[in-house]
Amino acid sequence: DFFGCLVTLVLSALCQVLLHGPFEAYAIGGLVVLVPGLALTTAISELADQNLVSGTAKFMQAVLTLLALGLAYILFQDFTLATHLPMAGPSITRPLSWSAAAIGAALSVSCFGILFKVPLKSLPWASLTGLLGWVILRKFTNTEYVVAANFLGSFAVGFISLTLGHWFRVPSQVFSVPGIIAMLPGMLALTSFRSLAMGQQESGLELAVRVALTAGSIVFGLFTARIPFSI
């Protein structure tokens, strides 16, 4: 994870210098595969289900991964400062249109489904499940709502995944695991750790609380979706 993040940042900086494009546009694709959002959410889910040994082990694995990614970022930042190179900072200021973002979300879910070895006949359904969760997440994402967006999105993903799993006679995780990718707080957790490591305690703690609330709302949304099927 450390070397993967470091190589991603270095190559992104080279692309920024040579191609004059946004640094984040080059870095985000490599970093999003490394951040342990799924491991963090799974750890909280298992801890909530009283699987303390496996939950603690996965939680520590996620923390160590975040530590490696954060240290790689800080090392890259120190190198750019020591060599007086222009620091690659946020440079994406124009948000994507709704249709472009929806297409990107669907492709992202499909790509993660391939990484998780989802069967090809189930891949379109997994992509639609993830797209629906993303639409709900985007619809309810607002400063007035703290956990509603992630809870409702994960509830929808969990309910549809259980329905499709019962329909196609396959485990519901085939649809739910790729479906919650868009809601996982991996990049948020990396940002919070980076803020803490750079001495921005107030911002880092605020983001850390948001990470915990986001992961918890996803877990409880998935749990709530099981209630009708349990009955």
Side-chain angles (χ1 to χ4, degrees):
D1 297 305
F2 175 81
F3 286 109
C5 180
L6 195 61
V7 169
T8 298
L9 294 174
V10 171
L11 292 178
S12 301
L14 290 176
C15 289
Q16 184 188 31
V17 173
L18 298 177
L19 303 177
H20 304 287
F23 173 78
E24 289 183 347
Y26 302 118
I28 196 70
L31 293 179
V32 74
V33 184
L34 300 177
V35 292
L38 183 61
L40 180 63
T41 305
T42 304
I44 296 179
S45 175
E46 294 197 0
L47 289 173
D49 208 21
Q50 297 185 358
N51 297 323
L52 301 181
V53 176
S54 60
T56 303
K58 291 181 179 179
F59 182 78
M60 292 305 301
Q61 180 184 3
V63 170
L64 289 175
T65 301
L66 287 174
L67 178 64
L69 298 180
L71 290 176
Y73 179 86
I74 295 173
L75 180 62
F76 173 75
Q77 183 186 40
D78 291 344
F79 174 77
T80 56
L81 292 176
T83 55
H84 302 287
L85 294 175
M87 178 57 190
S91 52
I92 299 179
T93 57
R94 186 180 63 181
L96 291 175
S97 63
W98 195 94
S99 58
I103 294 174
L107 290 176
S108 175
V109 174
S110 300
C111 292
F112 275 102
I114 294 174
L115 289 177
F116 296 145
K117 298 181 180 180
V118 172
L120 291 179
K121 64 179 182 179
S122 301
L123 188 59
W125 296 102
S127 301
L128 289 176
T129 302
L131 181 60
L132 176 62
W134 176 86
V135 170
I136 296 176
L137 178 68
R138 180 151 179 164
K139 181 68 175 179
F140 289 94
T141 297
N142 193 301
T143 54
E144 298 178 358
Y145 309 121
V146 180
V147 297
N150 292 281
F151 177 82
L152 294 175
S154 62
F155 176 82
V157 169
F159 187 85
I160 295 175
S161 299
L162 290 167
T163 303
L164 292 176
H166 179 74
W167 189 9
F168 291 109
R169 305 295 181 182
V170 296
S172 61
Q173 289 83 0
V174 171
F175 309 100
S176 63
V177 172
I180 62 173
I181 285 296
M183 293 177 282
L184 294 179
M187 292 300 295
L188 189 63
L190 177 60
T191 304
S192 66
F193 177 82
R194 184 183 65 185
S195 299
L196 290 172
M198 295 177 64
Q200 302 172 358
Q201 284 81 7
E202 183 176 352
S203 175
L205 290 176
E206 179 183 355
L207 291 174
V209 172
R210 288 180 56 191
V211 169
L213 290 175
T214 300
S217 63
I218 292 174
V219 171
F220 284 105
L222 294 175
F223 281 171
T224 307
R226 299 178 185 178
I227 294 177
F229 296 89
S230 300
I231 296 174

